Amino acid sequence: MAAMNPASPLTKALRLGAASFGFAGLFSLVTNLLFLALPIYTMQIYSRVLASQSEATLYVISLLAVGAFLVSGLIDHFRARVLINYGVVFDERVAGPVFATLFEAVVRRDTGARSQALRDLDALRQTITGSAVGVIFDLPWIPVFLGILFLIDPTIGVVTFLGGVLLLCLAVVQDRGSRPALREANDAALQSYTFTDAALRNGEVVRALGMLPSLGQDWIRYRQTTMQRSAVASDRASIYGGAIRVVRMMMQIVIVGLGAWLVIKGKVGPGVLFANMILGSRALAPIERIVGSWGGLVAGQQAYDRLAKLLEQYEPPQTVTILPRPDGHLSVEGVSYAPPGAATPLLNAVAFHLPAGETLGIVGPSGAGKSTLTRLLVGVWKPSFGVIRLDGADVFQWERESFGRYVGYLPQDIELFSGTVRGNISRFRPDATDEAVVKAAMLAGAHEMILRLPKGYETQLGEQATVLSVGQRQRVGLARALFGEPAFVVLDEPNAALDAEGEAALLQALEFLKAAGATVVIVSHKPNVFRTADKMLVLRNGRVEMYGPRDQVMARVVQPAPAIPQAEAAR
C-alpha cells in the first residue's frame, strides 16, 4: 500500500473518519455484547426452564432475549448509517480534488491519467464503508469469545483457539496466493477498458479503414489476460475458501462433540453444549467472512494506491486577487515549452509584444508549434521557461473562472459537451442571458443554422455532438469563444471546416472584435482570414522566424508565382 501523505486530500478525508469509525467500533462493542444473550438464553432454558417447568420464566427470558436482539439490530443499523454518512463526507472531500487533478493531468497530456480514478474513488468508498469494515470491527471480539470458552472449559478454549490459528494461516496463504493474480487481472482489465474507449472514440476511422479485425486481436489479448488471471485468482480463492469452510465445519463438529463428551462425563450441563456451539461459531465466523471479502479488500487497496499516486499531483487552489477585465496588452517573454519527458522543446525562446486591441496572425508549417503557443496564450499549459502576461498578469496564474469570463478560445480540435446548444454557447454559466447567447451565435454566423435544428437553441447535443456536422460544430465552438464579448480571443484554425458562408461570417466576427477593441490571435493556413490583422508572426521549428506588420511579413511569406512565358501560355 502507498505511504500516506499527510497533506493529501485522501489522507485528510480518511483521518476525518476517525470519529465515525470510533462510533462504529462502539456500536460493534454493544452488538457483540448483546450477542451473548443467545448462549445465555440457551443455558437458562436448559438449566432453569426445563428443570423448573416454569412457563413464566420461559416467557420472561424469551422476551429479554428478543429485546436484546431487537436492540442489536437497531444498533447494527446505526453503525451502517454512521459509515454511510461518512462515505458521503469522504466523497465530498476527495471527489473534487480527484476530478481537478485528473482534469489537469489530461490537460497536460499525461497519458497515465484515466477516468478510472473516479471508479477507484467509488470502489474505495464502498470498501471503507461497506460490509468488509463490519467484519474488521468484529475481529477484535474473537479473543473475547475465546476467553469465555476458556472460562467454560479450558479444553474447548484451546481447541477453538487452535482452529482459529489454522483458519488465519489459511487466510494468509490465500492472500499470498491470490493477490498477485488479482492485481494482474485488475491491471489487464484497466488496459482493456482504456483500449476499448479509444477504439469507440475513433469508431468511424476504425470502420472506414477496416481496422476492426486487427484492433480486435489486441482487445482479445487484453481480455484473455484478464480472464486468465481472474480464473487463476478465482481458482486459488475457491481452493482456499473451500478449505477454510471445511476446517470451520470440522471445528464446529469437534466443539459439539467435545461438549457432548463433557456432558457425558458430568463436567458441564446440557445447556453449555449449545452455548459452546454458538460461541465457537461466533468466534470463528469473522475469519471466514473476511476471507469471503478478501477480493473486495484487495481491490479497495489497489484503488487507494492509484488514488494516492494521482493525488500526489494535486495542488489545492490558492487564494488570489480577482483581477479586473483586461485591456488586452499581450506580452510573451522568452517562452519555451517542452512536454514532460520530451528531449526537444516544441517552442524555444518565443518573444513578442502585442498592444491591446490589435490582431495578430500566426502562420508556419505543420509542427512549428502554433497550437502549442495558443494553449500557452490562454493558460492551458505552463511554459517550461519564460512567462506570458496579459496586462502584466501571468495568464497561467490568473484565477481560471475570472480569466475565462474575459477570454475566448477556439481550439483546433473542437469538443462540444453533452447538453443543449444554448448551454454549450453560454459555457453552461447559470447567469447567462438569452440575449448574450443569441448575440454570440449571430456574431459567429450560427444563429440561422441553430434555428433550423429540431429544437433550436434547446436542441440536445449527445455524445460527440453527432447531430451537427463538422462545420456546424465549428460555428457553435466559435460562438462559445465569442460569448460575453471577450477582451482577448485566441482562434486556432477557426475556418478549417467552414464553407464560404461560414468564412464570411468569421470575417465579419473578426471585424466586430476589431471594432470592439478586443485583442485577437489567429492561427490559420488561409491568408484571407488575416485581413484584419495588424501584426504577423511566422513560426518555424518552434522559433520566431519573422514578426512585424502584416503587409511586410506577408510580402515575404507569400511569394508571387513565377510568370509563364507567353509562348508556353499560348500552347
Side-chain angles (χ1 to χ4, degrees):
M1 177 176 282
M4 297 183 71
N5 178 7
S8 170
L10 185 58
T11 303
K12 292 179 179 179
L14 290 173
R15 288 179 175 173
L16 189 65
S20 298
F21 289 127
F23 278 111
L26 180 61
F27 290 146
S28 296
L29 164 65
V30 176
T31 192
N32 277 280
L33 288 176
L34 289 173
F35 177 81
L36 295 175
L38 182 57
I40 293 173
Y41 174 75
T42 303
M43 294 175 62
Q44 292 300 314
I45 289 292
Y46 279 90
S47 62
R48 290 192 178 186
V49 174
L50 295 181
S52 65
Q53 299 292 305
S54 172
E55 293 184 7
T57 303
L58 174 62
Y59 296 151
V60 171
I61 63 174
S62 296
L63 288 174
L64 289 175
V66 170
F69 280 103
L70 287 175
V71 173
S72 176
L74 188 62
I75 290 176
D76 281 340
H77 170 71
F78 287 154
R79 182 176 72 176
R81 175 55 59 186
V82 166
L83 293 176
I84 291 171
N85 290 340
Y86 167 63
V88 174
V89 174
F90 175 84
D91 193 85
E92 290 176 349
R93 295 300 180 92
V94 181
V98 167
F99 180 79
T101 308
L102 181 63
F103 180 80
E104 289 298 325
V106 171
V107 169
R108 292 194 303 269
R109 302 297 175 91
D110 183 352
T111 56
R114 297 289 184 269
S115 59
Q116 172 66 27
L118 298 178
R119 291 194 288 268
D120 285 338
L121 177 60
D122 291 335
L124 179 58
R125 187 191 68 250
Q126 292 168 3
T127 299
I128 64 178
T129 62
S131 59
V133 173
V135 178
I136 293 174
F137 282 126
D138 289 337
L139 286 176
W141 285 90
I142 294 178
V144 175
F145 293 116
L146 286 175
I148 296 174
L149 289 171
F150 270 102
L151 291 176
I152 293 174
D153 187 273
T155 305
I156 294 178
V158 170
V159 170
T160 308
F161 173 75
L162 293 176
V165 171
L166 180 58
L167 289 176
L168 285 174
C169 290
L170 288 173
V172 171
V173 172
Q174 181 202 26
D175 174 47
R176 294 186 176 180
S178 60
R179 182 188 291 263
L182 281 173
R183 183 180 296 275
E184 291 174 6
N186 289 336
D187 290 343
L190 290 180
Q191 290 179 324
S192 174
Y193 298 150
T194 302
F195 187 85
T196 302
D197 289 343
L200 292 175
R201 285 196 305 269
N202 297 279
E204 293 182 3
V205 174
V206 171
R207 181 174 179 82
L209 301 183
M211 296 171 61
L212 186 59
S214 56
L215 291 177
Q217 291 299 319
D218 288 341
W219 181 81
I220 289 173
R221 178 165 51 84
Y222 287 127
R223 294 298 298 175
Q224 287 178 339
T225 302
T226 302
M227 297 308 298
Q228 289 171 358
R229 303 315 297 167
S230 296
V232 170
S234 299
D235 183 61
R236 293 175 181 175
S238 176
I239 292 173
Y240 293 118
I244 288 170
R245 283 190 296 273
V246 169
V247 170
R248 182 167 176 265
M249 296 305 297
M250 291 176 61
M251 290 306 305
Q252 288 294 113
I253 293 173
V254 171
I255 292 171
V256 173
L258 184 58
W261 181 79
L262 292 173
V263 171
I264 293 172
K265 292 296 184 179
K267 294 184 177 182
V268 297
V272 177
L273 169 65
F274 293 97
N276 286 342
M277 182 175 64
I278 296 169
L279 290 170
S281 176
R282 182 68 173 185
L284 300 178
I287 299 176
E288 185 177 357
R289 288 171 57 201
I290 202 167
V291 169
S293 304
W294 200 251
L297 292 173
V298 171
Q301 179 198 322
Q302 292 177 328
Y304 170 83
D305 290 341
R306 288 191 292 265
L307 286 175
K309 183 177 180 180
L310 175 69
L311 289 174
E312 288 176 358
Q313 309 170 37
Y314 176 66
E315 297 180 4
Q318 304 294 324
T319 302
V320 295
T321 301
I322 303 300
L323 299 177
R325 178 184 175 89
D327 294 328
H329 180 79
L330 180 66
S331 176
V332 179
E333 304 171 2
V335 167
S336 298
Y337 177 77
T344 305
L346 300 179
L347 291 177
N348 200 334
V350 174
F352 63 88
H353 296 275
L354 185 66
E358 290 196 355
T359 298
L360 170 67
I362 300 178
V363 296
S366 298
K370 303 185 297 297
S371 293
T372 298
L373 179 58
T374 63
R375 294 186 181 101
L376 294 170
L377 290 177
V378 293
V380 173
W381 292 345
K382 181 179 181 180
S384 303
F385 298 98
V387 65
I388 296 175
R389 301 185 184 278
L390 188 64
D391 284 15
D394 186 342
V395 296
F396 187 81
Q397 299 296 335
W398 203 311
E399 198 277 325
R400 300 317 301 173
E401 183 177 3
S402 172
F403 182 79
R405 289 184 175 274
Y406 308 134
V407 172
Y409 176 51
L410 180 69
Q412 188 172 358
D413 298 322
I414 299 171
E415 291 288 347
L416 299 180
F417 298 92
S418 180
T420 64
V421 174
R422 182 192 188 281
N424 274 273
I425 294 176
S426 67
R427 311 178 188 183
F428 295 95
R429 291 180 186 169
D431 59 344
T433 64
D434 293 340
E435 291 79 7
V437 172
V438 172
K439 182 176 183 179
M442 294 180 71
L443 286 175
H447 178 66
E448 295 295 334
M449 177 270 293
I450 294 173
L451 292 180
R452 289 194 294 269
L453 294 175
K455 294 185 179 180
Y457 283 87
E458 300 304 318
T459 299
Q460 286 286 337
L461 302 181
E463 187 177 358
Q464 299 180 359
T466 53
V467 299
L468 302 179
S469 68
V470 176
Q472 289 174 328
R473 288 200 293 271
Q474 190 156 38
R475 289 200 194 187
V476 173
L478 179 60
R480 179 177 62 190
L482 300 178
F483 175 78
E485 301 183 22
F488 179 46
V489 180
V490 178
L491 308 175
D492 189 358
E493 299 290 353
N495 55 344
L498 296 181
D499 54 16
E501 180 184 350
E503 283 207 16
L506 172 63
L507 294 175
Q508 290 182 355
L510 293 175
E511 291 175 355
F512 172 84
L513 291 172
K514 184 79 172 177
T519 303
V520 182
V521 176
I522 313 169
V523 174
S524 181
H525 287 93
K526 299 180 179 181
N528 65 315
V529 81
F530 298 128
R531 74 183 189 187
T532 60
D534 301 284
K535 302 284 195 316
M536 291 295 299
L537 183 145
V538 180
L539 275 179
R540 191 179 299 276
N541 297 324
R543 294 180 179 272
V544 176
E545 187 175 79
M546 285 184 282
Y547 178 71
R550 179 194 60 189
D551 294 340
Q552 294 181 14
V553 173
M554 292 300 289
R556 298 177 60 183
V557 172
V558 182
Q559 298 294 336
I564 301 176
Q566 292 183 358
E568 294 185 10
R571 293 179 183 177

